[in-house]
Amino acid sequence: MLNLFLLQSLNGIQFGILLFLVAAGLTLIFGVMDLINLAHGVLYMIGAYLTAAFAAMTGSFAYGILLALPATLLIGIALEVLVFRRLYDRSHLDQVLATFGLILILNETVKIIWGSAPLSVPMPEAFSGSIQLMGNLRYPTFRILIIAAGLATALGLYLMVNHTRLGMLLRAGATHGAMVSALGVNIRRLFMIVFGLGAMLAGFAGGMVAPILSVDPGMGDSILILTFVVIVIGGVGSVRGAFVAAIIVGLVDTLGRSFGPMLLRNLLEPAAAAQMGRTVAPMLVYILMAAVLYLKPTGLFSSGGGTR
């Protein structure tokens, strides 16, 4: 039982890391640009498809994801220039409607290019095995790579936001955009950089998960819902909050699905416990979100209107 708990905890952390990579870009976009982007999950899907395509072309997963990152960045910048730049001064309702329409367009575009059938990305040979953690507990090497890559990305974002000139401009632009623009900073270029960075982070998450999940149209829709849960729990605009909330949500979701039915068997018949467990487990993260909003309506790490 202890080994199962540790294994599922690591799976929860790995899932949380993927949620953070998507949520970090989205919370930066909302915190700096005040833009609700429902199409952010599509960028996660595009990153996965580009990784699959480039990996097939080069025969290497490493080359595939290295090529997919700048490609996703360029796609994000193109979307910002062509579509999102026209939404900054519109209401949040207009932004929701426009980005929902963009989801439909990009999902259909992916189907036209790659078809509706799921794609698979071969596991990198160097990371195809597992390593021994303790006793007889072994864990897949590639999942450890995802955790390490996510932690390195989180550290890089922290350093960028808090210790670089770009981070200073991001924090200032989030709270005093008009003043920053008056001081000579090209606020449109700043927004373009933020959006491109957010798109690349989402594409990186999609590329990293491609070898362990099937790559299919609409794969970004389900993760987008949990991403918004992460942002609400962590606090809108807070990168630190997104990281903490993503780990919490990943653990709650994974452990709830694994151990919920087991705990219910102590109270109910096995068949009823299994059915109720499958029903209740997906609700746990939303119950958690409701509890956090009740106790702290602005989230665990409210950014106070800025980003940090």
Side-chain angles (χ1 to χ4, degrees):
M1 181 64 75
L2 177 60
N3 282 354
L4 177 61
F5 176 78
L6 292 175
L7 185 65
Q8 293 303 324
S9 295
L10 286 172
N11 286 337
I13 292 172
Q14 179 247 302
F15 182 46
I17 289 293
L18 290 174
L19 286 175
F20 166 72
L21 290 173
V22 182
L26 190 57
T27 200
L28 277 176
I29 290 170
F30 189 85
V32 175
M33 301 155 66
D34 193 29
L35 174 71
I36 298 178
N37 179 19
L38 294 186
H40 197 72
V42 175
L43 296 168
Y44 166 84
M45 175 191 69
I46 290 175
Y49 268 101
L50 289 176
T51 301
F54 287 131
M57 289 170 53
T58 62
S60 167
F61 171 77
Y63 287 139
I65 199 164
L66 287 176
L67 291 171
L69 287 179
T72 311
L73 172 67
L74 292 176
I75 290 172
I77 290 174
L79 288 174
E80 194 277 336
V81 172
L82 297 174
V83 179
F84 292 98
R85 188 168 291 184
R86 291 157 177 77
L87 299 175
Y88 297 148
D89 297 326
R90 306 294 289 269
S91 68
H92 285 164
L93 178 59
D94 289 343
Q95 293 171 359
V96 167
L97 292 174
T99 53
F100 180 75
L102 190 60
I103 291 175
L104 302 179
I105 293 171
L106 293 177
N107 278 340
E108 290 303 315
T109 302
V110 164
K111 291 179 183 178
I112 292 171
I113 297 174
W114 285 287
S116 301
L119 302 181
S120 61
V121 178
M123 183 73 66
E125 187 175 346
F127 299 98
S128 60
S130 61
I131 62 174
Q132 185 173 350
L133 298 180
M134 53 178 289
N136 60 352
L137 177 64
R138 303 186 68 85
Y139 197 69
T141 309
F142 187 77
R143 290 181 181 267
I144 293 177
L145 175 65
I146 292 176
I147 295 174
L151 292 175
T153 303
L155 177 61
L157 278 175
Y158 170 79
L159 294 175
M160 184 200 74
V161 171
N162 293 284
H163 299 284
T164 66
R165 174 176 171 78
L166 176 60
M168 178 188 69
L169 292 176
L170 291 179
R171 298 195 308 274
T175 52
H176 304 289
M179 180 65 71
V180 172
S181 182
L183 291 174
V185 176
N186 189 333
I187 201 73
R188 285 186 176 272
R189 185 171 64 183
L190 178 64
F191 283 2
M192 183 178 68
I193 293 172
V194 171
F195 196 91
L197 177 63
M200 187 171 65
L201 286 172
F204 179 54
M208 289 300 293
V209 82
I212 58 177
L213 295 178
S214 62
V215 179
D216 59 88
M219 63 181 291
D221 297 343
S222 58
I223 200 169
L224 178 69
I225 297 171
L226 286 177
T227 299
F228 276 111
V229 172
V230 166
I231 292 173
V232 170
I233 292 175
V236 175
S238 173
V239 176
R240 178 176 59 172
F243 178 78
V244 173
I247 298 299
I248 293 173
V249 168
L251 287 170
V252 168
D253 184 72
T254 304
L255 293 177
R257 292 176 187 271
S258 299
F259 291 98
M262 295 182 186
L263 295 175
L264 288 173
R265 286 196 191 101
N266 297 322
L267 305 173
L268 303 171
E269 294 293 327
Q275 182 172 356
M276 181 170 288
R278 288 193 298 269
T279 304
V280 173
M283 298 169 53
L284 292 178
V285 292
Y286 304 105
I287 295 172
L288 172 65
M289 180 179 69
V292 170
L293 288 178
Y294 178 77
L295 297 172
K296 197 169 183 183
T298 55
L300 297 176
F301 296 88
S302 174
S303 64
T307 184
R308 58 186 176 91

PDB file of all heavy atoms in Angstrom, residues 87-100:
ATOM      1  N   LEU A  87      -8.609  42.052 -29.436  1.00  0.00           N
ATOM      2  CA  LEU A  87      -9.525  41.724 -28.347  1.00  0.00           C
ATOM      3  C   LEU A  87      -9.177  42.410 -27.030  1.00  0.00           C
ATOM      4  O   LEU A  87      -9.947  42.318 -26.076  1.00  0.00           O
ATOM      5  CB  LEU A  87      -9.538  40.201 -28.112  1.00  0.00           C
ATOM      6  CG  LEU A  87      -9.999  39.330 -29.280  1.00  0.00           C
ATOM      7  CD1 LEU A  87      -9.835  37.857 -28.924  1.00  0.00           C
ATOM      8  CD2 LEU A  87     -11.447  39.636 -29.650  1.00  0.00           C
ATOM      9  N   TYR A  88      -8.022  43.077 -26.959  1.00  0.00           N
ATOM     10  CA  TYR A  88      -7.590  43.643 -25.680  1.00  0.00           C
ATOM     11  C   TYR A  88      -8.574  44.662 -25.130  1.00  0.00           C
ATOM     12  O   TYR A  88      -8.778  44.742 -23.909  1.00  0.00           O
ATOM     13  CB  TYR A  88      -6.205  44.292 -25.821  1.00  0.00           C
ATOM     14  CG  TYR A  88      -5.114  43.325 -26.178  1.00  0.00           C
ATOM     15  CD1 TYR A  88      -4.026  43.719 -26.951  1.00  0.00           C
ATOM     16  CD2 TYR A  88      -5.140  42.009 -25.731  1.00  0.00           C
ATOM     17  CE1 TYR A  88      -3.010  42.828 -27.281  1.00  0.00           C
ATOM     18  CE2 TYR A  88      -4.136  41.111 -26.058  1.00  0.00           C
ATOM     19  CZ  TYR A  88      -3.081  41.535 -26.834  1.00  0.00           C
ATOM     20  OH  TYR A  88      -2.079  40.639 -27.166  1.00  0.00           O
ATOM     21  N   ASP A  89      -9.157  45.457 -26.001  1.00  0.00           N
ATOM     22  CA  ASP A  89     -10.070  46.510 -25.546  1.00  0.00           C
ATOM     23  C   ASP A  89     -11.531  46.068 -25.552  1.00  0.00           C
ATOM     24  O   ASP A  89     -12.419  46.886 -25.326  1.00  0.00           O
ATOM     25  CB  ASP A  89      -9.913  47.758 -26.434  1.00  0.00           C
ATOM     26  CG  ASP A  89      -8.513  48.352 -26.346  1.00  0.00           C
ATOM     27  OD1 ASP A  89      -7.932  48.279 -25.243  1.00  0.00           O
ATOM     28  OD2 ASP A  89      -8.016  48.874 -27.362  1.00  0.00           O
ATOM     29  N   ARG A  90     -11.758  44.800 -25.818  1.00  0.00           N
ATOM     30  CA  ARG A  90     -13.127  44.291 -25.827  1.00  0.00           C
ATOM     31  C   ARG A  90     -13.476  43.717 -24.464  1.00  0.00           C
ATOM     32  O   ARG A  90     -12.613  43.458 -23.613  1.00  0.00           O
ATOM     33  CB  ARG A  90     -13.284  43.211 -26.905  1.00  0.00           C
ATOM     34  CG  ARG A  90     -12.852  43.643 -28.300  1.00  0.00           C
ATOM     35  CD  ARG A  90     -13.753  44.741 -28.853  1.00  0.00           C
ATOM     36  NE  ARG A  90     -15.074  44.220 -29.174  1.00  0.00           N
ATOM     37  CZ  ARG A  90     -15.413  43.730 -30.368  1.00  0.00           C
ATOM     38  NH1 ARG A  90     -14.509  43.678 -31.333  1.00  0.00           N
ATOM     39  NH2 ARG A  90     -16.636  43.303 -30.583  1.00  0.00           N
ATOM     40  N   SER A  91     -14.762  43.472 -24.257  1.00  0.00           N
ATOM     41  CA  SER A  91     -15.218  42.924 -22.986  1.00  0.00           C
ATOM     42  C   SER A  91     -14.778  41.464 -22.851  1.00  0.00           C
ATOM     43  O   SER A  91     -14.432  40.800 -23.833  1.00  0.00           O
ATOM     44  CB  SER A  91     -16.741  43.012 -22.889  1.00  0.00           C
ATOM     45  OG  SER A  91     -17.338  42.122 -23.828  1.00  0.00           O
ATOM     46  N   HIS A  92     -14.795  40.969 -21.613  1.00  0.00           N
ATOM     47  CA  HIS A  92     -14.423  39.572 -21.379  1.00  0.00           C
ATOM     48  C   HIS A  92     -15.371  38.623 -22.094  1.00  0.00           C
ATOM     49  O   HIS A  92     -14.959  37.542 -22.528  1.00  0.00           O
ATOM     50  CB  HIS A  92     -14.402  39.275 -19.880  1.00  0.00           C
ATOM     51  CG  HIS A  92     -13.209  39.848 -19.184  1.00  0.00           C
ATOM     52  ND1 HIS A  92     -13.121  39.982 -17.828  1.00  0.00           N
ATOM     53  CD2 HIS A  92     -12.016  40.325 -19.681  1.00  0.00           C
ATOM     54  CE1 HIS A  92     -11.949  40.513 -17.502  1.00  0.00           C
ATOM     55  NE2 HIS A  92     -11.270  40.724 -18.613  1.00  0.00           N
ATOM     56  N   LEU A  93     -16.631  39.000 -22.220  1.00  0.00           N
ATOM     57  CA  LEU A  93     -17.576  38.152 -22.948  1.00  0.00           C
ATOM     58  C   LEU A  93     -17.178  38.033 -24.408  1.00  0.00           C
ATOM     59  O   LEU A  93     -17.209  36.934 -24.985  1.00  0.00           O
ATOM     60  CB  LEU A  93     -18.997  38.708 -22.824  1.00  0.00           C
ATOM     61  CG  LEU A  93     -20.087  37.938 -23.580  1.00  0.00           C
ATOM     62  CD1 LEU A  93     -20.163  36.492 -23.097  1.00  0.00           C
ATOM     63  CD2 LEU A  93     -21.439  38.627 -23.429  1.00  0.00           C
ATOM     64  N   ASP A  94     -16.778  39.144 -25.021  1.00  0.00           N
ATOM     65  CA  ASP A  94     -16.316  39.101 -26.408  1.00  0.00           C
ATOM     66  C   ASP A  94     -15.066  38.224 -26.535  1.00  0.00           C
ATOM     67  O   ASP A  94     -14.907  37.475 -27.506  1.00  0.00           O
ATOM     68  CB  ASP A  94     -15.999  40.514 -26.914  1.00  0.00           C
ATOM     69  CG  ASP A  94     -17.257  41.347 -27.123  1.00  0.00           C
ATOM     70  OD1 ASP A  94     -18.351  40.751 -27.197  1.00  0.00           O
ATOM     71  OD2 ASP A  94     -17.137  42.581 -27.186  1.00  0.00           O
ATOM     72  N   GLN A  95     -14.175  38.314 -25.558  1.00  0.00           N
ATOM     73  CA  GLN A  95     -12.969  37.493 -25.582  1.00  0.00           C
ATOM     74  C   GLN A  95     -13.295  36.009 -25.479  1.00  0.00           C
ATOM     75  O   GLN A  95     -12.703  35.179 -26.179  1.00  0.00           O
ATOM     76  CB  GLN A  95     -12.046  37.912 -24.431  1.00  0.00           C
ATOM     77  CG  GLN A  95     -11.479  39.313 -24.576  1.00  0.00           C
ATOM     78  CD  GLN A  95     -10.756  39.778 -23.326  1.00  0.00           C
ATOM     79  OE1 GLN A  95     -10.688  39.062 -22.337  1.00  0.00           O
ATOM     80  NE2 GLN A  95     -10.213  40.988 -23.368  1.00  0.00           N
ATOM     81  N   VAL A  96     -14.248  35.672 -24.610  1.00  0.00           N
ATOM     82  CA  VAL A  96     -14.656  34.276 -24.460  1.00  0.00           C
ATOM     83  C   VAL A  96     -15.244  33.749 -25.765  1.00  0.00           C
ATOM     84  O   VAL A  96     -14.899  32.651 -26.232  1.00  0.00           O
ATOM     85  CB  VAL A  96     -15.668  34.131 -23.306  1.00  0.00           C
ATOM     86  CG1 VAL A  96     -16.330  32.755 -23.344  1.00  0.00           C
ATOM     87  CG2 VAL A  96     -14.980  34.346 -21.962  1.00  0.00           C
ATOM     88  N   LEU A  97     -16.129  34.523 -26.383  1.00  0.00           N
ATOM     89  CA  LEU A  97     -16.770  34.083 -27.629  1.00  0.00           C
ATOM     90  C   LEU A  97     -15.750  33.938 -28.755  1.00  0.00           C
ATOM     91  O   LEU A  97     -15.767  32.956 -29.508  1.00  0.00           O
ATOM     92  CB  LEU A  97     -17.867  35.071 -28.026  1.00  0.00           C
ATOM     93  CG  LEU A  97     -19.094  35.128 -27.108  1.00  0.00           C
ATOM     94  CD1 LEU A  97     -20.028  36.252 -27.537  1.00  0.00           C
ATOM     95  CD2 LEU A  97     -19.834  33.805 -27.118  1.00  0.00           C
ATOM     96  N   ALA A  98     -14.852  34.921 -28.872  1.00  0.00           N
ATOM     97  CA  ALA A  98     -13.860  34.883 -29.955  1.00  0.00           C
ATOM     98  C   ALA A  98     -12.891  33.713 -29.783  1.00  0.00           C
ATOM     99  O   ALA A  98     -12.574  33.006 -30.744  1.00  0.00           O
ATOM    100  CB  ALA A  98     -13.099  36.209 -30.005  1.00  0.00           C
ATOM    101  N   THR A  99     -12.414  33.494 -28.561  1.00  0.00           N
ATOM    102  CA  THR A  99     -11.441  32.416 -28.343  1.00  0.00           C
ATOM    103  C   THR A  99     -12.106  31.043 -28.422  1.00  0.00           C
ATOM    104  O   THR A  99     -11.462  30.071 -28.809  1.00  0.00           O
ATOM    105  CB  THR A  99     -10.726  32.582 -26.994  1.00  0.00           C
ATOM    106  OG1 THR A  99     -11.690  32.712 -25.938  1.00  0.00           O
ATOM    107  CG2 THR A  99      -9.854  33.827 -27.007  1.00  0.00           C
ATOM    108  N   PHE A 100     -13.387  30.962 -28.069  1.00  0.00           N
ATOM    109  CA  PHE A 100     -14.091  29.689 -28.258  1.00  0.00           C
ATOM    110  C   PHE A 100     -14.210  29.366 -29.744  1.00  0.00           C
ATOM    111  O   PHE A 100     -14.023  28.214 -30.158  1.00  0.00           O
ATOM    112  CB  PHE A 100     -15.478  29.736 -27.624  1.00  0.00           C
ATOM    113  CG  PHE A 100     -16.258  28.459 -27.779  1.00  0.00           C
ATOM    114  CD1 PHE A 100     -15.950  27.348 -27.026  1.00  0.00           C
ATOM    115  CD2 PHE A 100     -17.290  28.364 -28.704  1.00  0.00           C
ATOM    116  CE1 PHE A 100     -16.652  26.159 -27.173  1.00  0.00           C
ATOM    117  CE2 PHE A 100     -17.999  27.180 -28.857  1.00  0.00           C
ATOM    118  CZ  PHE A 100     -17.676  26.078 -28.089  1.00  0.00           C
TER     119      PHE A 100
END
